Amino acid sequence: GAGVSQSPSNKVTEKGKDVELRCDPISGHTALYWYRQSLGQGLEFLIYFQGNSAPDKSGLPSDRFSAERTGGSVSTLTIQRTQQEDSAVYLCASSPEAGAGEQYFGPGTRLTVT
Amino acid sequence: AQSVTQLDSHVSVSEGTPVLLRCNYSSSYSPSLFWYVQHPNKGLQLLLKYTSAATLVKGINGFEAEFKKSETSFHLTKPSAHMSDAAEYFCVVSYGSSNTGKLIFGQGTTLQVKP
């Protein structure tokens, strides 16, 4: 079956612009996670969705970052007024249920802020 | 704070020799532990997972890891390295009590395999 997909695969934006990153999880997976992979910080948790609600947003680095999930499926991560330090690979993962263990990762979106 | 430490940022082995990638975790609870692999320009793939069943866990591609509670370790091993094993390896922990399932990643170990 289809895995987790993310779009775009690459995004170059100018400092100060807003960007939206999309994640399509595996069908039927209720838990969805966003992570960020950067050279300086490694892989960091950003936010977790159970269905359409986000009980854990503790990893969002600032109020410029927000995310939503609709229909228990697609999720969008939005970064407002992008800064150069936002440059990273943004990874989405899904799981059949929270705490199930294995998470299935998408290929990521590489964001470059110039 | 809950964390995971990978003791080597870079490991280099010759093809056909054993692989050892070291990982220690800190935890107040019984953790679930994972090893993920990331090949260049590819997504993260699960190698194996420990979830309090057998302490010796076998994964894909001949990898295995042993959970040692007394040492708070979860080292990854493989008897004989292949060229295709060259990749970035992440030791990962997830905690059980108020488990959202979020993963905490180690800093990664780059495995180089020389011919």
Side-chain angles (χ1 to χ4, degrees):
Chain A
V4 178
S5 61
Q6 293 185 246
S7 61
S9 54
N10 279 284
K11 176 72 175 178
V12 180
T13 190
E14 292 180 353
K15 178 180 172 181
K17 301 283 190 185
D18 298 352
V19 296
E20 284 190 352
L21 312 180
R22 178 187 167 106
C23 171
D24 282 270
I26 293 172
S27 178
H29 281 193
T30 60
L32 186 148
Y33 304 82
W34 284 96
Y35 296 88
R36 179 170 73 172
Q37 186 173 23
S38 57
L39 280 176
Q41 301 298 322
L43 263 154
E44 305 171 285
F45 165 81
L46 296 177
I47 187 170
Y48 151 66
F49 285 92
Q50 179 59 40
N52 293 336
S53 61
D56 189 348
K57 306 178 184 180
S58 61
L60 294 178
S62 77
D63 58 8
R64 295 186 296 104
F65 286 72
S66 63
E68 65 175 11
R69 188 179 185 195
T70 56
S73 180
V74 171
S75 177
T76 303
L77 177 69
T78 301
I79 309 173
Q80 295 178 310
R81 305 180 302 282
T82 52
Q83 303 293 313
Q84 287 187 330
E85 60 263 29
D86 300 335
S87 295
V89 177
Y90 289 82
L91 295 166
C92 177
S94 71
S95 182
E97 58 185 22
E102 180 174 3
Q103 294 179 17
Y104 298 82
F105 282 82
T109 293
R110 182 175 296 279
L111 175 66
T112 304
V113 182
T114 61
Chain B
Q2 295 141 343
S3 66
V4 59
T5 302
Q6 293 182 243
L7 299 170
D8 306 291
S9 60
H10 186 271
V11 169
S12 181
V13 302
S14 297
E15 190 175 21
T17 64
V19 176
L20 170 64
L21 305 183
R22 298 182 294 164
C23 172
N24 286 98
Y25 68 93
S26 68
S27 174
S28 302
Y29 309 103
S30 296
S32 294
L33 291 157
F34 311 83
W35 277 96
Y36 277 82
V37 62
Q38 187 175 38
H39 290 275
N41 300 315
K42 296 277 184 73
L44 283 159
Q45 181 184 20
L46 180 70
L47 274 180
L48 50 80
K49 64 181 178 182
Y50 166 77
T51 53
S52 78
T55 57
L56 182 62
V57 182
K58 294 187 184 299
I60 61 171
N61 301 334
F63 284 94
E64 62 181 37
E66 186 172 7
F67 174 72
K68 291 187 177 180
K69 186 174 181 178
S70 61
E71 299 177 8
T72 60
S73 70
F74 190 59
H75 301 334
L76 181 71
T77 60
K78 182 173 181 177
S80 176
H82 295 169
M83 296 297 293
S84 60
D85 294 328
E88 185 88 9
Y89 291 80
F90 293 94
C91 184
V92 182
V93 64
S94 179
Y95 292 94
S97 67
S98 60
N99 196 3
T100 66
K102 74 178 182 185
L103 302 179
I104 298 172
F105 286 78
Q107 289 298 309
T109 299
T110 301
L111 176 64
Q112 179 187 22
V113 182
K114 297 180 287 188

